[in-house]
Amino acid sequence: MAEAHQAVGFQFTVRPDGVDFKLSQEVIKNIYLSGVTAWKKRAIQFKNGVLAGVYPASPSSWLIVVIAMMSSLYIRIDPSLGMIDLPHSPTRVVLSAILFATGLWLFLIYLLRYTLKVLLSYHGWIFESHGKMSTSTKVWLVSFLVKMFSGRRPLLYSFQASLPRLPVPSVDDTIHRYLESVRPLLDNDQYNQMEILANDFRDFKAAQLQRYLILKSWWATNYVSDWWEEYIYLRGRSPIMVNSNFYIMDLLYMTPTHRQAARAGNVVHAMLQYRRKLERGEHAPVMLLRALGTVPMCSTQMERMFNTTRIPGIETDIVQHLTDRKHLVVYHKGRFFQVWLYTGGRHLLPSELETQFQRILNDTSEPQPGELKLAALTAGNRVPWARARIKYFSQGVNKVSLDAIESAAFFLTLDDEPQGYDPAKTNSLDSYAKSLLHGKCYNRWFDKSFTLISYPNGKIGINAEHSWADAPIVGHMWEYVLATDCFHLGYTEEGHCKGDVNKGLPLPTRLQWQIPKECQEVIETSYLSAKQIADDVDFHGYLFTDFGKGLIKKCRTSPDAFIQLALQLAQFRDQGVFCLTYESSMTRMFRDGRTETVRSCTSEAVAFVRAMEDNAQRLALFRKAADKHQNMYRLAMTGSGIDRHLFCLYIVSKYLGVDSPFLKKVLSEPWKLSTSQTPQQQLNLVDINKFPKYVGAGGGFGPVADDGYGVSYIIVGENLITFHISCKFSCPNTDSYRFGQNIQKAMLDIQGLFKPENDEKVVERRKHIENGKKHI
């Protein structure tokens, strides 16, 4: 028993003359080391907080200013212009000089920060063509590089105070761009009606709402993000499984070890290393321009990566973030185990973690009544889960066990069915994606910031909750973990974690539950509801290997624009109509920025697609559509998007009780094609040209609309693009495999615009696709 093993630390016997109390030296040693580690952690956090707080200056610069002030006073030069009264006693003069020098130092820091913020507010560079640079951008670049590299190496949060606030676009610009975005989707009568609604809103209601929004932008660090988190995520009462959570896959071609416990041990240890650096702020800030290494992005979302859980509520959920929790909760075959991650003031080594996980895999005990499908509560509707949590999990052993899950660093599932990409199996990526996205609907804790899933064949993956952060944040951590696992920690020849095996660790502790029949019925209802959603997900993972980023760049166009136009062409061929298209763009160049929408279905894109079908002026129209898409994407990145502004105006209108038919209509429009690009190589820890097999497969999400598609794609190196396509079986008009075939044909057809029509390879590939479609 785990309790018996832990009890040997403290031994006591009761005697008539009192209590004879003995302390284990080993326990005292561990307590001492834990305390030392905690104080070291606080000291490092304080030090790094000071370093980030005074950036771009450094603490040593304070001493330089003080010495300069004292030296000037020594030679009878008073930089304070009389503020320091020299006739007074030397001690008073020295204290006054130090005080004045400190004030001057702080003033210079704020001046440097303000200068940096002004430089970061310039976005003209992003709108310029590749290889061309205006004079103003050259001046900005030189100034910015001087500011960036004249000081010390920045830490993760060094630039936070210098990031500009997200600007509020003008109402006129937003309405103009909105009407422009819906023009290709509406006939003349529909467009005229929408134009009347938009103009009425602009003329009579927008000014009042805009004033409140501008006031919020002055007061809050970001006028969008808190409302976005609350109203888009936390107030949703429908299941978050499939509808909100997303997944990220393992390495595509490589499996470092086929031992499940060993892979989990290395990966968990790498995550603990990442968390330690994150808590101390020691990661380098993420930069936008890799070629120049200059423009920093906001790091706020990273703060809640670990020890974070979405807590269900009757009307709204909350995001609970804790600090300094030192355990992990593991799920295996219906049982929940608590595993401590520290011993003697240090992380468990990979070999020690492997031992703990292997003990769980070897455990043959049965689940307690109601325990098997308990996590289905997090997969079903939020209100039943919130009520069950209050009624059945607010006291006793259930509360203790639930607290252990919700305060854990993250959640780990040791799955019992192998998954992963297998070239010999046609649908291996499809099965892998569905396993990560929803699993069995009761073997992931969907409320945790992320669930790490470990498979018996050594493959791993992540299911992430969406409210606390966006996919690039989890992707940043995942790149670090995979690189550390494969290139730093490694495995023995037998596939085990390196290092000695410590068999003296306390056994993992089974969490205890007392789940009454009434609660078990709620669990079963949530499970059936979640299973209906999971069974309806039609998923297709597709590796496009005909060409990649390398060839697209030779066509002198943006890879993202190329793919987005291919998606528009595929959508039209698949459905016969154009639709409102969502592409996610980040706004992290601004403080607390999250995302903005790029409306990819533009008039230029529609004209190009129709030309592809009509065989007229295709290349010129493609370039025009690609340029338009790039401009839309850049506007979204620089705070001039459409949808977040309209969303916030709608929230203000609800607070004020102002009825707006225009905003209601805008916010109710369905996104039948929802797309997103998974970022890659944020850290550049692995040279994928040198190690082409060590590439990730990306990630994906469920369909947004009942009759639409969800498409996530990752541009992997120079010669591979991975697509993750989802829709619903219940819709007779959608088919994920068919859409994947349409994407492939669209990509090849667009490539054909840049090559001679008699290119035998292209013609042969097209014929192969057409023949394949006939046999579907």
Side-chain angles (χ1 to χ4, degrees), residues 335-366:
R335 296 87 44 82
F336 293 83
F337 297 83
Q338 185 176 28
V339 177
W340 292 100
L341 300 172
Y342 291 76
T343 183
R346 62 166 176 81
H347 292 147
L348 290 187
L349 301 174
S351 57
E352 294 171 331
L353 288 166
E354 179 186 358
T355 299
Q356 296 293 66
F357 298 147
Q358 192 61 53
R359 286 171 171 174
I360 294 173
L361 291 170
N362 295 339
D363 191 305
T364 58
S365 60
E366 293 295 320

Coordinates of all heavy atoms in Angstrom, one line a residue, residues 335-366:
R335 N -8.9 3.8 -14.1 CA -8.4 4.1 -12.8 C -7.6 5.4 -12.8 O -6.9 5.7 -13.8 CB -7.5 3.0 -12.2 CG -8.1 1.7 -11.9 CD -8.1 0.8 -13.1 NE -6.8 0.8 -13.9 CZ -5.8 0.1 -13.5 NH1 -5.8 -0.7 -12.5 NH2 -4.6 0.1 -14.3
F336 N -7.7 6.2 -11.8 CA -7.0 7.5 -11.6 C -5.9 7.3 -10.6 O -6.2 6.8 -9.5 CB -7.9 8.6 -11.2 CG -9.0 9.0 -12.2 CD1 -10.1 8.3 -12.4 CD2 -8.7 10.1 -13.1 CE1 -11.1 8.6 -13.3 CE2 -9.7 10.4 -14.1 CZ -10.9 9.7 -14.2
F337 N -4.7 7.7 -10.9 CA -3.5 7.6 -10.0 C -2.9 9.0 -9.9 O -2.8 9.8 -10.8 CB -2.5 6.7 -10.6 CG -2.9 5.2 -10.7 CD1 -3.6 4.8 -11.9 CD2 -2.6 4.3 -9.8 CE1 -4.1 3.5 -12.0 CE2 -3.0 3.0 -9.9 CZ -3.8 2.6 -11.0
Q338 N -2.4 9.3 -8.6 CA -1.7 10.5 -8.4 C -0.2 10.1 -8.3 O 0.2 9.2 -7.6 CB -2.1 11.1 -7.1 CG -1.4 12.5 -6.8 CD -2.0 13.1 -5.5 OE1 -2.4 12.5 -4.6 NE2 -2.0 14.4 -5.5
V339 N 0.6 10.9 -9.1 CA 2.1 10.6 -9.1 C 2.8 11.9 -8.7 O 2.6 12.9 -9.4 CB 2.5 10.2 -10.5 CG1 4.0 10.0 -10.6 CG2 1.8 8.9 -10.9
W340 N 3.6 11.8 -7.7 CA 4.4 13.0 -7.3 C 5.6 13.2 -8.3 O 6.2 12.2 -8.7 CB 4.9 12.8 -5.9 CG 3.8 12.9 -4.9 CD1 3.2 11.9 -4.3 CD2 3.1 14.1 -4.5 NE1 2.2 12.3 -3.5 CE2 2.1 13.7 -3.6 CE3 3.3 15.4 -4.8 CZ2 1.2 14.6 -3.0 CZ3 2.4 16.3 -4.2 CH2 1.4 15.9 -3.3
L341 N 5.9 14.4 -8.7 CA 6.9 14.7 -9.7 C 8.2 15.2 -9.1 O 9.1 15.4 -9.9 CB 6.3 15.8 -10.6 CG 5.0 15.4 -11.4 CD1 4.5 16.7 -12.1 CD2 5.3 14.3 -12.3
Y342 N 8.3 15.3 -7.8 CA 9.5 15.8 -7.2 C 9.9 14.8 -6.1 O 9.1 14.2 -5.4 CB 9.3 17.2 -6.5 CG 9.1 18.3 -7.5 CD1 7.9 18.4 -8.2 CD2 10.1 19.2 -7.8 CE1 7.7 19.5 -9.1 CE2 10.0 20.2 -8.7 CZ 8.8 20.3 -9.4 OH 8.6 21.4 -10.3
T343 N 11.2 14.8 -5.8 CA 11.7 14.0 -4.7 C 13.0 14.7 -4.3 O 13.9 15.1 -5.1 CB 12.0 12.6 -5.0 OG1 12.5 11.9 -3.9 CG2 13.0 12.4 -6.1
G344 N 13.2 14.9 -3.0 CA 14.4 15.6 -2.5 C 14.7 16.9 -3.1 O 15.8 17.3 -3.3
G345 N 13.6 17.7 -3.4 CA 13.8 19.0 -3.9 C 14.2 19.1 -5.4 O 14.5 20.1 -5.9
R346 N 14.0 18.0 -6.2 CA 14.3 18.0 -7.6 C 13.2 17.2 -8.3 O 12.4 16.5 -7.8 CB 15.6 17.3 -7.8 CG 15.7 15.8 -7.4 CD 16.9 15.0 -8.0 NE 16.9 13.7 -7.5 CZ 16.2 12.7 -8.0 NH1 15.4 12.9 -9.0 NH2 16.3 11.4 -7.5
H347 N 13.2 17.4 -9.7 CA 12.3 16.7 -10.5 C 12.6 15.2 -10.5 O 13.8 14.8 -10.4 CB 12.4 17.1 -12.0 CG 11.9 18.5 -12.2 ND1 12.4 19.4 -13.2 CD2 10.9 19.2 -11.7 CE1 11.8 20.5 -13.2 NE2 10.9 20.5 -12.3
L348 N 11.6 14.4 -10.6 CA 11.9 13.0 -10.9 C 12.7 12.8 -12.2 O 12.3 13.5 -13.2 CB 10.6 12.1 -10.9 CG 9.8 11.9 -9.6 CD1 8.7 10.9 -9.9 CD2 10.7 11.4 -8.5
L349 N 13.6 12.0 -12.2 CA 14.4 11.7 -13.5 C 13.5 10.9 -14.4 O 12.6 10.3 -14.0 CB 15.7 10.9 -13.1 CG 16.6 11.6 -12.2 CD1 17.8 10.7 -11.8 CD2 17.1 12.9 -12.8
P350 N 13.8 11.0 -15.7 CA 13.1 10.2 -16.7 C 12.9 8.7 -16.3 O 11.9 8.1 -16.4 CB 13.8 10.4 -18.0 CG 14.5 11.7 -17.9 CD 14.9 11.8 -16.4
S351 N 14.0 8.1 -15.8 CA 14.0 6.7 -15.5 C 13.1 6.5 -14.3 O 12.4 5.4 -14.2 CB 15.4 6.2 -15.1 OG 16.0 7.0 -14.1
E352 N 13.0 7.4 -13.4 CA 12.1 7.3 -12.2 C 10.7 7.5 -12.6 O 9.8 6.8 -12.2 CB 12.5 8.4 -11.2 CG 13.9 8.2 -10.6 CD 14.3 9.3 -9.7 OE1 13.9 10.5 -10.0 OE2 15.1 9.1 -8.8
L353 N 10.4 8.4 -13.6 CA 9.1 8.5 -14.1 C 8.6 7.3 -14.9 O 7.5 6.8 -14.7 CB 9.0 9.8 -15.0 CG 9.1 11.1 -14.3 CD1 9.3 12.2 -15.3 CD2 7.8 11.4 -13.6
E354 N 9.6 6.7 -15.6 CA 9.2 5.5 -16.3 C 8.8 4.4 -15.3 O 7.9 3.6 -15.6 CB 10.4 5.0 -17.1 CG 10.2 3.7 -17.9 CD 11.4 3.1 -18.6 OE1 12.5 3.8 -18.6 OE2 11.3 2.0 -19.2
T355 N 9.6 4.3 -14.2 CA 9.2 3.3 -13.2 C 7.8 3.5 -12.7 O 7.1 2.5 -12.5 CB 10.3 3.4 -12.1 OG1 11.6 3.1 -12.6 CG2 9.9 2.4 -11.0
Q356 N 7.5 4.7 -12.4 CA 6.1 5.0 -11.9 C 5.1 4.7 -12.9 O 4.0 4.1 -12.5 CB 6.1 6.5 -11.5 CG 7.0 6.9 -10.3 CD 6.7 6.3 -9.0 OE1 6.8 5.1 -8.9 NE2 6.2 7.1 -8.1
F357 N 5.3 5.0 -14.1 CA 4.3 4.8 -15.1 C 4.1 3.3 -15.4 O 3.0 2.8 -15.7 CB 4.6 5.5 -16.4 CG 4.6 7.0 -16.2 CD1 5.4 7.8 -17.0 CD2 3.7 7.6 -15.3 CE1 5.5 9.2 -16.8 CE2 3.8 9.0 -15.1 CZ 4.6 9.8 -15.9
Q358 N 5.3 2.6 -15.3 CA 5.2 1.1 -15.6 C 4.5 0.4 -14.4 O 3.7 -0.5 -14.6 CB 6.6 0.6 -15.7 CG 6.7 -0.9 -16.2 CD 6.1 -1.0 -17.6 OE1 6.5 -0.3 -18.5 NE2 5.1 -1.9 -17.7
R359 N 4.6 1.0 -13.2 CA 3.8 0.4 -12.1 C 2.3 0.6 -12.3 O 1.6 -0.3 -12.0 CB 4.2 1.2 -10.8 CG 5.6 0.8 -10.2 CD 6.0 1.7 -9.1 NE 7.2 1.2 -8.4 CZ 7.9 1.9 -7.5 NH1 7.4 3.1 -7.1 NH2 8.9 1.4 -6.9
I360 N 1.9 1.7 -12.9 CA 0.5 1.9 -13.2 C 0.1 0.9 -14.3 O -1.0 0.3 -14.2 CB 0.3 3.4 -13.6 CG1 0.5 4.3 -12.4 CG2 -1.1 3.5 -14.2 CD1 0.5 5.8 -12.8
L361 N 0.9 0.8 -15.3 CA 0.6 -0.2 -16.4 C 0.4 -1.6 -15.9 O -0.4 -2.4 -16.4 CB 1.6 -0.1 -17.5 CG 1.7 1.2 -18.3 CD1 2.9 1.2 -19.2 CD2 0.4 1.4 -19.2
N362 N 1.2 -1.9 -14.9 CA 1.2 -3.3 -14.3 C 0.1 -3.5 -13.3 O -0.2 -4.7 -12.9 CB 2.6 -3.6 -13.7 CG 3.7 -3.7 -14.7 OD1 3.5 -3.8 -15.9 ND2 4.9 -3.5 -14.2
D363 N -0.5 -2.4 -12.9 CA -1.6 -2.5 -11.9 C -2.8 -3.2 -12.5 O -3.3 -2.7 -13.5 CB -1.9 -1.1 -11.4 CG -2.8 -1.2 -10.1 OD1 -3.9 -1.8 -10.2 OD2 -2.5 -0.6 -9.1
T364 N -3.3 -4.2 -11.9 CA -4.5 -5.0 -12.4 C -5.7 -4.8 -11.7 O -6.7 -5.5 -11.9 CB -4.1 -6.5 -12.4 OG1 -3.8 -6.9 -11.1 CG2 -3.0 -6.8 -13.3
S365 N -5.8 -3.8 -10.8 CA -7.0 -3.5 -10.0 C -8.1 -3.0 -10.9 O -7.9 -2.5 -11.9 CB -6.7 -2.5 -8.9 OG -6.2 -1.3 -9.4
E366 N -9.3 -3.2 -10.4 CA -10.5 -2.8 -11.2 C -10.9 -1.4 -10.8 O -10.7 -0.9 -9.7 CB -11.6 -3.8 -10.9 CG -11.4 -5.2 -11.4 CD -11.3 -5.2 -12.9 OE1 -12.1 -4.5 -13.6 OE2 -10.5 -6.0 -13.4

